[in-house]
């Protein structure tokens, strides 16, 4: 999972989110804007003022949450004013330790509550508290309180400069922002096909494919809003539907297993070329290459695979190849052919839509709802994880600040800053950030010490700062440790511009980081902890119920209404129910996976119980992919598979039995249904072999039945085998 998340973040370096630019461009823009005051201050002979302005821009940059130009600029202006005001308070309160401590506690608590109190607090985060600590740390070390108070205006100027420059650099909302969102599911499906081409083993579709599809659907829904563009929505909707179809076909291809040896090479070639075409389609949408609808059509041909399948079929007639392998190869060929056909039409749609990339879009009108008084009262209790985290962060940060001030530790504010940066609501995430913070500070602090000792020219320091800021903001989406490595020298070198620095300060920062991170880890363990492992059983049960509902909806949709006197489910499910059922199942399974990932990193739990829950979640994830694959094989004949009604009546209840029900009853019924289906399929195969022996090689009725029912029966058998067993003692009971 860690590698998976790293892959997503690395992709984000070049594939932006809607309304933002790639991280590479964002890093370059931040490097230019933040470091711009430094050469201006040096040229005018006032490097100290430039350092404070740079600090203001640096603080404002952390509140840049992306989005359209208008809301982003307003948020940055508010952040600049708040940071400067808090900095001024910190300078005024210098020497009044109780006042500084009280203001710090209030700022940290509000940052911890976030949107529960007001949406703006989510944007500001801990930056106001950081401004207070910077002012408190500067007093008595570099400047007197009287000298420091005017610096608040420079901090304000730096923040306003960042807001104005970002407004200029942020493009107006255009269709290209939506196109970037539409491109992501195509990239995700392409990566899945690349894995299948290399590994040739069954793989479930990555979870981020579902996330990308949900975001693309939301983007097209926004176009149908009151200030959207109905014409553009009509153009984007087909692309979203084709992306969903490609995701399902890819899941079905993965469910067939590895290709037979006789077709492995052309299978790999066809799959690889399909993955390349998906990447090119995404490039068309993001305008990273000229949009050409048919420039590579010959490369998508699956003719070599078709020829290999024909040779394999001929060898099967002679007994040289097994019939099941021949059938599997034919199924893979048909799925790749459908993928190729969908890709061809999708590229045509993408080409037509990419020509409108410069079409302006109206600014969004939706605003985050403000919390009601009742909701705020409910959140201000120890049953609220947000409230507990706010209390924990406030207690630990103020305790560390009080300790460093009482013992007069040099640069003690850095320890408090370390607490604010690593302390998170979940213990597992806090522990992960502690490791990243410590390693990043060791590397970054050591580099900073060498730079301070070796570089004494202000112009050279400015250039180094530009490079470090650019690299830091570029790599920030990849891993927090990368940001710490580059962020540590920034703070030390900004001060080195206005007055010669001491390389020992870097060592002090490392020591304070150890103190702050240790306090954060201890506080996360002891103070109102929000453990994930007691919640894992409940999250798993929720995922089980959502998956069972999706399975039931899919089976009723597959069976359809009763025909020819055959018993069918009492209430056939319309197709319109499938999408919300699938989205609910994918979301529930993703939450359970995240909870299991965090729970395994927490102390004080029964690892065997967590492993059982994690195995159940993995089975549910596999089930969702198999159900999606099943829906790609819906035909009129699939609805007449023997024992389908029996299977439909017991599958969901075997996964999620009613209270007091024995799951074994439903499991036995499923086994009976699968056996009857398998006998039916075996009979079809026997009849087909007889036809081949009699040289009936055409598209006979038996062959058509095998083609349309065999994948359905095999997937139904796979679903029955994948159904997780009774979980037994839950993780909650075990702990």
């Amino acid at each position: 999972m860690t590698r998976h998340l790293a892959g997503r973040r690395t992709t984000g370096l070049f594939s932006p989110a809607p309304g933002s630019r790639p991280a590479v461009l964002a890093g370059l823009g931040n490097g230019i804007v933040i470091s711009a005051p430094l050469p201006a201050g040096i040229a005018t002979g006032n490097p100290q003022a430039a350092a404070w302005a740079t600090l203001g821009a640096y603080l404002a940059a952390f509140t840049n949450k992306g989005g359209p130009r208008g809301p982003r600029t307003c948020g940055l202006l508010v952040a600049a004013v708040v940071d400067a005001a808090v900095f001024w308070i910190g300078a005024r309160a210098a020497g009044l330790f109780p006042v500084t401590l009280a203001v710090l506690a209030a700022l940290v608590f509000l940052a911890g509550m976030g949107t529960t109190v007001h949406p703006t607090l989510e944007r500001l985060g801990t930056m106001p508290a950081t401004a207070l600590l910077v002012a408190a740390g500067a007093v008595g070390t570099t400047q007197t309180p009287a000298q420091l108070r005017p610096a608040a205006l420079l901090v304000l100027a730096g923040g306003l400069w960042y807001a104005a420059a970002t407004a200029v650099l942020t493009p107006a909302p255009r269709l290209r922002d939506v196109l970037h969102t539409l491109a992501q599911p195509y990239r995700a499906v392409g990566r899945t096909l690349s894995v299948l081409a290399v590994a040739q083993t069954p793989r479930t579709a990555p979870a981020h494919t579902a996330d990308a599809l949900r975001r693309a659907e939301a983007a097209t829904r926004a176009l149908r809003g009151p200030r959207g563009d109905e014409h553009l929505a009509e153009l984007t909707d087909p692309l979203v539907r084709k992306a969903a179809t490609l995701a399902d076909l890819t899941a079905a291809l993965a469910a067939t297993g590895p290709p037979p040896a006789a077709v492995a090479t052309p299978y790999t070639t066809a799959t690889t070329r399909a993955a390349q075409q998906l990447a090119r389609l995404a490039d068309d949408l993001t305008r990273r290459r000229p949009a050409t609808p048919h420039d590579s059509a010959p490369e998508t041909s699956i003719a070599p695979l078709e020829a290999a399948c024909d040779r394999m079929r001929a060898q099967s007639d002679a007994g040289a190849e097994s019939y099941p392998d021949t059938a599997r190869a034919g199924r893979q060929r048909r799925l790749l052919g459908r993928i190729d056909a969908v890709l061809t039409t999708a590229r045509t749609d993408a080409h037509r839509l990419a020509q409108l990339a410069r079409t302006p879009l109206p600014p969004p009108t939706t605003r985050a709802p403000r919390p009601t008084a009742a909701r705020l009262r409910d959140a201000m209790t120890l049953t609220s994880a947000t409230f507990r985290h706010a209390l924990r962060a406030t207690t630990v940060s103020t305790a560390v600040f009080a300790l460093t001030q009482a013992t007069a530790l040099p640069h003690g504010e850095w320890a408090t800053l370390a607490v604010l940066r690593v302390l998170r609501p979940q213990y597992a995430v806090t522990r992960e950030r502690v490791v990243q913070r410590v390693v990043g500070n060791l590397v970054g602090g050591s580099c900073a010490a060498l730079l301070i000792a070796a570089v004494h020219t202000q112009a050279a320091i400015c250039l180094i700062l530009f490079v470090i800021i650019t690299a830091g903001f570029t790599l920030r989406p990849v891993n927090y440790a990368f940001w710490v490595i580059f962020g540590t020298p920034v703070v030390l070198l900004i001060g080195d511009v206005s007055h010669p620095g001491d390389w020992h300060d870097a060592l002090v920062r490392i020591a304070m980081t150890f103190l702050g991170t240790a306090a954060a880890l201890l506080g996360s363990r002891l103070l109102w902890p929000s453990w994930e492992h007691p919640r894992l059983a409940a999250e798993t049960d929720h995922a089980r119920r959502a998956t069972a509902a999706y399975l039931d909806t899919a089976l009723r949709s597959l069976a359809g209404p009763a025909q020819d006197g055959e018993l069918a489910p009492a209430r056939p499910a319309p197709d319109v129910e499938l999408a919300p059922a699938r989205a609910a199942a994918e979301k529930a399974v993703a939450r359970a996976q995240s909870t299991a990932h965090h729970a395994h990193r927490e102390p004080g739990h029964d690892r065997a119980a967590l492993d059982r829950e994690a195995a159940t979640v993995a089975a549910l994830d596999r089930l969702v992919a198999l159900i999606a694959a099943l829906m790609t094989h819906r035909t009129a004949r699939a609805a007449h598979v023997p024992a389908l009604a029996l299977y439909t009546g017991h599958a969901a209840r075997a996964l999620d039995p009613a209270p007091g029900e024995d799951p074994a009853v439903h499991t036995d019924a499923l086994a009976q249904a699968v056996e009857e289906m398998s006998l039916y399929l075996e009979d079809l195969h026997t009849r087909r072999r007889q036809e081949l022996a009699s040289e009936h090689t055409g598209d006979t009725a038996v062959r058509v039945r095998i083609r349309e029912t065999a994948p359905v029966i095999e997937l139904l058998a796979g679903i029955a085998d994948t159904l997780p067993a009774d979980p037994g003692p839950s993780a909650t009971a075990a702990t």
Side-chain angles (χ1 to χ4, degrees):
M1 179 175 292
T2 302
R3 290 193 300 270
H4 167 63
L5 291 175
R8 289 180 63 185
R9 292 170 181 167
T10 305
T11 304
L13 295 180
F14 304 98
S15 302
S20 64
R21 292 186 173 186
V24 171
L25 294 180
L28 182 61
N30 279 307
I32 295 173
V33 175
I34 295 174
S35 60
L38 293 174
I42 294 174
T44 57
N46 196 351
Q48 189 171 9
W52 287 122
T54 301
L55 179 64
Y58 187 69
L59 292 174
F62 282 93
T63 64
N64 189 346
K65 305 298 183 182
R69 176 162 47 193
R72 176 191 297 192
T73 304
C74 291
L76 291 175
L77 290 174
V78 171
V81 173
V82 172
D83 290 342
V86 172
F87 186 92
W88 181 82
I89 292 173
R92 292 281 296 179
L96 300 175
F97 171 72
V99 175
T100 305
L101 187 66
V103 174
L104 175 66
L107 293 173
V108 174
F109 180 80
L110 290 174
M113 294 299 294
T115 54
T116 305
V117 176
H118 196 278
T120 303
L121 295 177
E122 180 71 19
R123 176 181 291 273
L124 293 176
T126 58
M127 286 304 104
T130 301
L132 180 75
L133 291 171
V134 170
V139 174
T141 56
T142 61
Q143 292 182 343
T144 64
Q147 295 173 326
L148 190 62
R149 289 166 196 160
L153 295 176
L154 296 171
V155 172
L156 175 61
L160 296 177
W161 153 250
Y162 183 87
T166 304
V168 174
L169 295 176
T170 301
R174 296 184 183 277
L175 182 61
R176 64 166 61 94
D177 298 333
V178 178
L179 297 185
H180 282 304
T181 308
L182 294 180
Q184 302 315 310
Y186 287 98
R187 292 193 193 280
V189 176
R191 287 192 290 269
T192 304
L193 284 174
S194 298
V195 172
L196 287 176
V198 175
Q200 296 184 352
T201 55
R203 297 284 185 91
T204 58
H208 66 274
T209 302
D211 296 339
L213 281 171
R214 300 291 89 78
R215 290 193 296 270
E217 291 170 355
T220 57
R221 282 198 304 270
L223 288 178
R224 294 188 180 277
R227 298 189 63 185
D229 190 317
E230 190 73 19
H231 171 66
L232 293 177
E234 294 295 336
L235 295 176
T236 57
D237 281 346
L239 274 173
V240 177
R241 289 195 297 268
K242 288 179 175 65
T245 301
L246 287 169
D248 290 346
L249 290 172
T250 302
L253 183 64
T256 62
V263 298
T265 299
Y267 169 90
T268 300
T269 301
T271 307
T272 301
R273 287 176 176 170
Q276 293 171 349
Q277 289 301 304
L278 282 163
R280 291 175 179 176
L281 189 152
D283 288 345
D284 286 350
L285 290 173
T286 55
R287 305 291 292 174
R288 287 170 54 187
R289 63 191 297 273
T292 51
H294 304 294
D295 62 347
S296 300
E299 294 185 6
T300 64
S301 173
I302 60 170
L305 179 60
E306 292 175 341
C309 288
D310 291 340
R311 290 192 298 271
M312 193 175 182
R313 189 181 304 112
Q315 293 172 352
S316 175
D317 298 344
E321 291 284 353
S322 67
Y323 187 79
D325 283 350
T326 304
R328 185 167 78 255
R331 192 172 308 127
Q332 291 168 342
R333 175 187 61 79
R334 287 190 294 273
L335 286 170
L336 282 169
R338 292 174 63 185
I339 289 174
D340 180 70
V342 175
L343 260 173
T344 300
T345 58
R347 290 203 67 192
T348 302
D349 293 343
H351 171 71
R352 182 171 63 251
L353 193 56
Q355 306 306 314
L356 305 174
R358 297 184 178 276
T359 301
L361 295 177
T365 57
T366 57
R367 295 182 179 180
R370 295 186 178 184
T372 61
R375 178 185 169 190
L376 187 59
R377 286 194 300 269
D378 293 340
M380 303 288 279
T381 62
L382 287 177
T383 58
S384 169
T386 301
F387 183 69
R388 294 199 305 271
H389 170 64
L391 283 181
R392 187 186 313 119
T394 304
T395 302
V396 176
S397 59
T398 53
V400 170
F401 183 72
L403 174 65
T404 56
Q405 293 297 309
T407 56
L409 289 176
H411 298 295
E413 71 278 359
W414 287 342
T416 308
L417 284 171
V419 173
L420 298 180
R421 296 295 178 268
V422 303
L423 193 57
R424 290 297 179 266
Q426 298 86 12
Y427 173 83
V429 181
T430 299
R431 192 179 73 170
E432 180 180 356
R433 288 179 74 93
V434 163
V435 174
Q436 294 171 335
R437 185 84 183 180
V438 170
V439 173
N441 261 280
L442 283 173
V443 177
S446 301
C447 294
L450 293 175
L451 290 172
I452 292 174
V455 181
H456 303 289
T457 306
Q458 291 178 335
I461 294 175
C462 290
L463 180 60
I464 292 172
L465 275 171
F466 165 72
V467 173
I468 291 176
I469 293 172
T470 299
F473 277 94
T474 298
L475 296 175
R476 188 182 178 191
V478 178
N479 193 293
Y480 177 69
F482 287 135
W483 167 249
V484 178
I485 290 174
F486 291 99
T488 299
V490 168
V491 177
L492 296 169
L493 290 175
I494 287 178
D496 197 37
V497 172
S498 58
H499 63 279
D502 186 350
W503 66 270
H504 292 91
D505 289 346
L507 303 182
V508 173
R509 182 179 177 94
I510 294 174
M512 292 299 101
T513 296
F514 275 104
L515 174 61
T517 53
L521 192 62
L522 187 64
S524 182
R525 176 76 180 270
L526 300 179
L527 299 177
W528 310 286
S530 297
W531 300 115
E532 295 288 287
H533 58 268
R535 299 175 46 239
L536 179 56
E539 293 289 355
T540 304
D541 289 340
H542 176 60
R544 183 192 291 266
R545 290 192 297 271
T547 305
Y550 177 36
L551 175 60
D552 183 59
T553 304
L555 289 173
R556 288 189 285 112
S557 176
L558 178 69
Q563 296 181 11
D564 301 332
E566 183 180 346
L567 180 63
R571 186 174 65 89
D575 287 352
V576 72
E577 296 180 20
L578 277 172
R582 177 178 180 175
E586 289 173 341
K587 182 178 180 180
V589 171
R591 285 189 58 180
Q593 286 178 321
S594 177
T595 303
H597 176 68
H598 291 153
H600 275 81
R601 298 187 173 190
E602 295 176 345
H605 57 72
D606 184 352
R607 181 165 292 276
L610 291 185
D611 289 341
R612 288 195 296 270
E613 298 289 349
T616 299
V617 175
L620 294 176
D621 184 48
R622 174 67 176 162
L623 269 178
V624 171
L626 289 175
I627 297 168
L630 179 66
M631 290 297 93
T632 65
H633 296 288
R634 286 185 296 170
T635 64
R637 287 185 177 83
H640 293 276
V641 170
L644 181 59
L646 177 64
Y647 190 102
T648 302
H650 292 275
R653 294 165 69 185
L655 179 59
D656 181 32
E661 275 190 337
D662 184 7
V665 174
H666 304 295
T667 303
D668 293 342
L670 280 183
Q672 177 185 345
V674 170
E675 183 178 1
E676 187 174 343
M677 294 175 186
S678 300
L679 291 174
Y680 169 76
L681 184 58
E682 184 178 346
D683 177 64
L684 288 178
H685 285 318
T686 301
R687 292 163 58 185
R688 180 57 181 163
R689 291 189 188 96
Q690 293 173 351
E691 288 182 345
L692 293 174
S694 303
E695 297 185 354
H696 292 289
T697 58
D699 201 19
T700 64
V702 174
R703 183 182 177 186
V704 172
R705 286 188 181 183
I706 292 175
R707 183 169 63 241
E708 297 193 7
T709 61
V712 173
I713 293 174
E714 292 179 6
L715 284 169
L716 290 174
I719 289 173
D721 292 339
T722 309
L723 289 175
D726 182 72
S730 68
T732 304
T735 54

